[in-house]
Every structure is written in C-alpha cells, then in structure tokens.
Amino acid sequence: MGKNKLLVPVTGIAVGIAALLLTAAGNPANMGFCIACFLRDIAGGLGLHSAEKVQYLRPEIVGLVLGAMGMALAGREFRARAGSAPALRFVLGMIVMVGALAFLGCPLRMVIRLGGGDLTAVAGLLGFIAGIGVGVLFLKKGFSLGRAYKVKKADGFVLPGVMLAVLALLIAAPAFIHFSQSGPGASHAYWLISLAGGLVVGALAQKSRLCMAGGLRDVFLFRDCHLLIGFAAIFVTVLAGNLVTGQFDPTLAVQPVAHHDYLWSFLGMALAGWGSVLLGGCPLRQLILAGEGSGDSAVTVLGMIAGAALAHNFGMAGNADAMTDGVFTAGGVAANGRIGIVIGIVLLLVISIANLHKEEKAK
Amino acid sequence: MIDARGYSCPMPVVMVQKEVKANAPQTLEVLVDDPCAVENITRFAANNGYAASSRPNGEDEFALTLVKKA
C-alpha cells in the first residue's frame, strides 16, 4: 500500500483518537468532533442565536482551518480561488446545517455516534446514503456550480483570519461573547487541547482529502473506496476506544445528545448528504478547503454558521431525548424543524435542476 | 482535451469519466489546477484501464495525459 493510500486510514484513525481524547478531556459524549455542533456553538458564542446551552467559541474549528492552512502552505497547495456560485454555496451551507442540526450532528458526528453504540444514528446514516445517492444522480446528469478563478492570495486568508479573531475572542472573553453555563456548550476540553486536536486533524485531513460525503459519493460514482476507508477507520477507532473504556452502549435508549425521531433524522441527514454532494464535500471538507484558500468554501462555512443561527432562532434544530430522575422526556424534531427540512428538500431540488449544464465536450 | 481548470472535485473526474464512457479515447489530455484532481484522475485512470502521467503546466496548473492500456 503506497504512502498516499495509507494517509486516508491513518487520518481516520487520528480523527477517531482525537474524538475519544477530546471527549475524555471534557467535550460532550459522542461529540469529540462535530462540525455542525461546533459551528452552531460558535454562532451562539458570537450571539447570533440565543440558545443558552449551545454557546461556546470552539477552538477545534479554529484548529481545523489553521491546520489545513499550515499544511497547504507547507505542501505548496495553498491556492486562492473563488467565484464558483458563492451565493448559492452560502444557501447550500445553510441547508446542510438545518438538516444536520435536526439530526443533531454532522456526518462526522454521525460516525462517532455509531461508534459509541448510538443505534438511533442508523436512521441518519441511511438518510445520508440516500441523500448522497440523489446528489450523485444530479452530478451524472450534469450538475455543476461552475468554475472558480484565481484571486489575490490575500483573499485565501479570509477564513483563517476570521478563525484567528474567534480564537482571540475566546481567550480575551469580552462580556459580549456568550459562554454556556450548562448543556453541551458548557462541556468542553481545555482550549489548548481542543486547538491542538483541531490543528492535527486539520493538517492530516488536508493532506489526505478526507471527506465523509466524498467517501460514499466516490463509491456511487466511480466504484472507488479510497475515501470510504477513512470513514470506516474513524468508526472502528471510536468503536474500539469505547469498547476498551466501557463507554460502548449499543441501544436505542436515551443516547447522548440524540433523539429517536427516525423519519426526521433520515430526512435531515438526506438533506446534509445531498447538499454536501452539490457543494463538493462535507462540512469538515469545507473547513479544510477554506484553509487551503478557497473563498467559495469560506462562504459556505459562513453560510453554515448563518444556517446554525437560523436553525436555533426558528426552532428548527432537533431536541435531544432526556432522562431526568428516572423520567423520560422524548426529544425529536418539532414542527418548525420538519417544515425547515421540507423547504430544504424543495430548495435542493430547485438548485439541482437549475444548475444542470450540458456536458463540456472534450476538444 | 478536457479543460477542468477552476472546477473543484469531483467535477474534473466526472468530466473524464464521461469522456471515457462516451468515446473510450486512446489518449486524453486533461488540464486541472487542483492537486486533489490530479490524484483523483490518476486513481480513476488506474481503475479504468488507463495509464496516467502528470506534469506542471505553468504556475499552479497541471496537465495530465491518459493513455489507454493495450
């Protein structure tokens, strides 16, 4: 197996270990890494939404972008590009976020939840596969968001710059930045540990091109399992870690930050999978591409932050099941979330059809 | 020749796949500006009966040549 082929499983194992360590260090259970949840926490920390339990400027996100940027610069792969339907990408980022937050996790957390024995996440996995399948159908029919073009090198540093500002705000902690006092936002590792975890994973993900949506997409499109091995490596590593530490709990009962609203978990992750295929990568991959200098991915990340704020301001995010003093409270996706998912599906259909292009013939 | 410059993955490989499926060319030139696309097209070529070679094509660009194996 060549060095390049080894890089994907090595990255998957590193992501799995980082997720386990970050959870042991204080991150919420089965949430060592979650791009959707952490962008939502950042949105809350900045005061873009007022859900008090999910407000914290997550250093993992900062680390992912800066780690990718560092590796791209070191490997001469930093390329400032932009101009491939940025407004559409912003909207697609919002839609992916609405779907992921209804399910309560991005594709990466979905795998981490499964590795912890959270069987409620199976509905999300099936939806994610279905959504990617639909996205691939449109790719085969000629879907494209068009070309990006070279821009000034400084433009490629916009999102890394924003992330440095987020880190500065976390450390300085001025009064206008929100910090959860309870709930998932209050559960976090010491910021330097989180930052280090993000930097390592960001650097490896840049080099290996790890993408949760890309793994399944390439199997559907090309019968190519290259990236899917990373997906599997994360699952196996997290599963093994949870088995060793006694954290593996293979049930449908109350799982950490999860609900058993299977239909809407399925549809939420279908939305996330379909949208990710149209964007060319999952939420993690968008952070990495933004670190490599892609202005289009930077806009997508900003769209995801806006989508997170919208999801909470409009009551569209999923509510976790809870067990308090032996009393079970069912969570799930409320009416607003269901309406949001349906609107998201309609919008994805319109965007998918409106961006079908005639095939570019070879000259 | 396929000009896939400016397209992000997986578009360059999709463009190559369509050309290979439609015309099964003996040789195919592809221009890209993304190192990820070079890797993906090279892997696609290897899995579909083509030998692929790539070379720098000016600043930040690459030219790939796919040759159908006998």
Side-chain angles (χ1 to χ4, degrees), chain A residues 47-361:
Chain A
L48 299 175
H49 69 69
S50 51
E52 291 181 353
K53 291 187 174 181
V54 284
Q55 298 175 324
Y56 178 59
L57 302 183
R58 293 275 179 187
E60 289 88 348
I61 298 291
V62 176
L64 287 168
V65 175
L66 297 184
M69 182 192 76
M71 184 60 91
L73 287 170
R76 297 175 179 273
E77 293 188 341
F78 186 88
R79 283 167 166 73
R81 298 273 192 280
S84 168
L88 267 184
R89 286 179 189 270
F90 186 90
V91 172
L92 286 169
M94 291 178 80
I95 294 171
V96 165
M97 204 56 138
V98 167
L101 289 178
F103 166 71
L104 291 176
C106 68
L108 177 55
R109 183 171 187 245
M110 177 186 73
V111 176
I112 291 171
R113 280 173 59 176
L114 289 166
D118 179 351
L119 299 179
T120 67
V122 172
L125 174 64
L126 295 175
F128 189 56
I129 293 169
I132 287 173
V134 175
V136 165
L137 279 179
F138 282 102
L139 282 185
K140 286 184 173 176
K141 293 281 181 195
F143 175 87
S144 170
L145 289 176
R147 292 178 200 267
Y149 299 90
K150 268 187 186 179
V151 293
K152 287 180 184 168
K153 194 168 185 179
D155 288 5
F157 291 106
V158 169
L159 199 75
V162 168
M163 288 299 145
L164 280 176
V166 167
L167 186 62
L169 287 170
L170 171 72
I171 296 167
F176 55 81
I177 294 299
H178 302 257
F179 291 89
S180 293
Q181 299 303 311
S182 64
S187 302
H188 54 79
Y190 179 58
W191 71 270
L192 270 174
I193 297 174
S194 298
L195 182 65
L199 284 167
V200 170
V201 169
L204 285 170
Q206 193 281 327
K207 204 68 186 165
S208 66
R209 331 296 190 200
L210 182 74
C211 177
M212 309 308 292
L216 288 162
R217 177 202 65 203
D218 289 355
V219 170
F220 285 139
L221 261 179
F222 313 119
R223 303 281 178 263
D224 180 352
C225 295
H226 178 73
L227 287 176
L228 193 63
I229 291 168
F231 193 107
I234 296 170
F235 172 73
V236 171
T237 305
V238 173
L239 175 66
N242 282 319
L243 283 169
V244 168
T245 57
Q247 305 288 315
F248 184 67
D249 178 24
T251 64
L252 288 166
V254 183
Q255 289 282 353
V257 199
H259 58 70
H260 61 278
D261 202 343
Y262 304 124
L263 172 64
W264 295 96
S265 285
F266 177 94
L267 292 172
M269 285 311 278
L271 205 58
W274 185 358
S276 293
V277 170
L278 302 186
L279 284 165
C282 68
L284 169 67
R285 182 78 181 136
Q286 297 303 323
L287 288 173
I288 302 304
L289 289 170
E292 289 178 15
S294 166
D296 294 321
S297 288
V299 168
T300 306
V301 172
L302 296 176
M304 290 195 286
I305 292 173
L310 211 65
H312 278 279
N313 288 338
F314 291 2
M316 294 189 289
N319 297 299
D321 291 342
M323 185 73 82
T324 312
D325 298 329
V327 179
F328 174 73
T329 309
V333 180
N336 287 13
R338 297 175 182 189
I339 292 168
I341 289 173
V342 171
I343 290 173
I345 290 171
V346 172
L347 285 175
L348 285 191
L349 192 60
V350 171
I351 292 170
S352 298
I353 293 170
N355 288 279
L356 291 177
H357 297 275
K358 285 184 180 174
E359 292 168 30
E360 287 208 12
K361 297 280 185 194

Side-chain angles (χ1 to χ4, degrees), chain A residues 4 77-79 81 89 139-144 146-148 150 207 209 217-218 221-222 224 226-227 277 279-280 285 292 359-363, chain B residues 1-11 13-15 17-19 21-23 28 33-36 39-40 43-44 47-48 59-62:
Chain A
N4 283 346
E77 293 188 341
F78 186 88
R79 283 167 166 73
R81 298 273 192 280
R89 286 179 189 270
L139 282 185
K140 286 184 173 176
K141 293 281 181 195
F143 175 87
S144 170
R147 292 178 200 267
K150 268 187 186 179
K207 204 68 186 165
R209 331 296 190 200
R217 177 202 65 203
D218 289 355
L221 261 179
F222 313 119
D224 180 352
H226 178 73
L227 287 176
V277 170
L279 284 165
R285 182 78 181 136
E292 289 178 15
E359 292 168 30
E360 287 208 12
K361 297 280 185 194
K363 293 170 186 170
Chain B
M1 187 182 72
I2 293 175
D3 182 1
R5 290 175 296 179
Y7 285 107
S8 55
C9 279
M11 294 315 299
V13 202
V14 171
M15 293 162 84
Q17 183 189 40
K18 284 183 176 171
E19 178 62 16
K21 272 191 174 177
N23 301 315
L28 183 60
D33 60 0
D34 180 1
C36 181
E39 294 167 13
N40 289 346
R43 204 167 55 249
F44 172 83
N47 292 337
N48 288 275
E59 193 187 356
D60 292 347
E61 292 181 11
F62 306 91

